[in-house]
């Protein structure tokens, strides 16, 4: 059974700092990996989707990398801003076949960017 | 752009009452999902529908039923609500690329 871990559970950084959020998974046979942002009381917003054949994706100040062999993904946030404060979750989808429609979510990293 | 729309956003029920959560997506996605999110438990899949006309159980299906009414709509029904079903419920959908899009959530309290 796939397990997804995000460490640390919470992170506090000063504004302007570059930071890295980590996501690890136990089964490297994945279809894709997706990073989400969740603001308090809100739904999940998709940030980046990395297919299994890709090594990274970029959107603005965000860069996500994928290393299937080591079972790891990182989300890099450049020049952090107070508006980046939210909980960040990663989710892994298995390859087509049994259970492939079920994503496995990490429990998230709660990021606070201090002005 | 509406994306995934859920109704109602808030609901309070008494134990034993029934209700249906509605979900609709306008992205022409084949697959739709219902999740619940609880503190310390993360997101857990209740049911999913890989395509119109099919539904399958997820990780925590007990106490729930679903209907894939058409390609756009996927509803979740609680036949006899229990306090353990107090949660935030999210509907989501994916297209062929596999990117998951979520609704804003429905906050349910069962007294």
């Amino acid at each position: 059974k796939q397990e997804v871990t995000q460490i640390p559970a919470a992170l506090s950084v000063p504004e302007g700092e570059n930071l890295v959020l980590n996501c690890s998974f136990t089964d490297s046979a994945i279809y894709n990996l997706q990073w989400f942002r969740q603001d308090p009381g809100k739904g999940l917003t998709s940030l980046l989707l990395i297919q299994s054949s890709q090594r990274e994706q970029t959107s603005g100040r965000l860069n996500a990398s994928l290393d299937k062999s080591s079972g790891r993904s990182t989300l890099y946030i450049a020049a952090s801003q107070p508006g980046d404060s939210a909980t960040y979750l990663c989710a892994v989808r298995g390859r087509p076949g049994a259970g492939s429609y079920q994503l496995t979510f990490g429990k998230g990293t709660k990021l606070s960017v201090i002005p | 752009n509406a994306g995934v729309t859920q109704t109602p956003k808030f609901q309070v029920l008494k134990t034993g009452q029934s209700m249906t959560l509605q979900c609709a997506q306008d992205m022409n996605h084949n697959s739709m999902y219902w999740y619940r999110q609880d503190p310390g438990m993360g997101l857990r899949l209740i049911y999913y529908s890989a395509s119109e006309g099919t539904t399958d159980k997820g990780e925590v299906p007990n106490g729930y039923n679903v209907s894939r009414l058409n390609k756009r709509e996927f509803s979740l029904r609680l036949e006899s609500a229990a306090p353990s079903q107090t949660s935030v419920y999210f509907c989501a959908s994916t297209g062929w690329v596999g990117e998951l899009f979520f609704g804003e959530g429905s906050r349910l309290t069962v007294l």
Side-chain angles (χ1 to χ4, degrees), chain A residues 1 31-32 34 36 38 40-49 51 89 91 93 99-103 105-107, chain B residues 31 33 35 37 40-43 45 48-50 57-59 90 94 96-105 107:
Chain A
K1 179 184 176 184
Y31 184 68
N32 61 37
Q34 194 169 352
F36 297 89
Q38 186 174 28
K42 300 292 187 181
L44 282 73
T45 300
S46 177
L47 296 174
L48 290 164
L49 173 71
Q51 302 293 353
L89 296 95
R93 180 187 296 274
S100 68
Y101 286 97
Q102 299 199 27
L103 281 77
F105 283 84
K107 292 186 177 180
Chain B
S31 302
Y33 310 78
Y35 289 90
Q37 187 177 38
M41 301 294 291
L43 277 154
L45 182 66
Y48 66 97
S49 171
K57 296 178 180 180
E59 183 182 355
F90 289 101
T94 58
W96 68 272
V97 173
E99 186 173 6
L100 194 64
F101 293 90
F102 280 85
E104 285 292 301
R107 286 148 185 81

Side-chain angles (χ1 to χ4, degrees), chain B residues 25-70:
Chain B
Q25 52 90 11
D26 62 2
M27 296 175 282
N28 201 35
H29 286 168
N30 286 322
S31 302
M32 298 185 72
Y33 310 78
W34 276 104
Y35 289 90
R36 61 179 289 175
Q37 187 177 38
D38 302 288
M41 301 294 291
L43 277 154
R44 293 180 292 172
L45 182 66
I46 305 171
Y47 270 93
Y48 66 97
S49 171
S51 62
E52 184 178 355
T54 68
T55 60
D56 286 285
K57 296 178 180 180
E59 183 182 355
V60 289
N62 292 343
Y64 305 95
N65 285 301
V66 291
S67 295
R68 185 73 183 267
L69 305 172
N70 46 55

